[in-house]
Amino acid sequence: MKKLLIILNCLFVLSCHSQKQEDARLIGKWQGTLNDSENSNSIEKIVLEFTKDGKFIQFLGEGKSENIINSTYRIENDKILATEENTNEVSESIYFIKNDTLIIKYDGVENRYLKK
């Protein structure tokens, strides 16, 4: 019985630690350029929007060629886990915020975004 209580307490502590985290600094719109993973050249303009209710919207390109990707997101430690609405595909990226700059590392490429 004592071993069972110890195991249950461990599981409880671990489940509390893995709960959804929030980062209020992330909320809002961020503007930058998307870089090519092969040569780090700028590909196109991108605006990222993070909402308080867990929505993540990416605006790629400009004008008539603008593409909008709707997702949801959650924060775990220093990672953004985004789930694309149409495909349910989950992507994971490392992020940090320094002053008014959001830096996201995805697939070895670092992109910088300024707060709008």
Side-chain angles (χ1 to χ4, degrees), residues 30-32 46 48 100-102 104 111-115:
W30 301 85
Q31 184 173 333
I46 182 170
L48 307 177
D100 63 346
T101 303
L102 169 63
I104 295 179
N111 288 293
R112 295 174 178 267
Y113 306 90
L114 292 176
K115 187 91 175 204

Side-chain angles (χ1 to χ4, degrees), residues 39-80:
N39 57 25
S40 296
N41 290 338
S42 176
I43 299 173
E44 63 186 330
K45 176 185 169 187
I46 182 170
V47 174
L48 307 177
E49 181 177 3
F50 295 90
T51 66
K52 290 179 185 178
D53 61 351
K55 292 181 182 165
F56 172 46
I57 307 161
Q58 300 175 68
F59 302 89
L60 300 150
E62 297 180 83
K64 291 183 179 183
S65 65
E66 182 179 62
N67 187 19
I68 299 172
I69 301 171
N70 291 298
S71 304
T72 58
Y73 77 97
R74 68 183 191 277
I75 303 298
E76 287 185 10
N77 300 316
D78 60 347
K79 294 182 177 110
I80 299 171

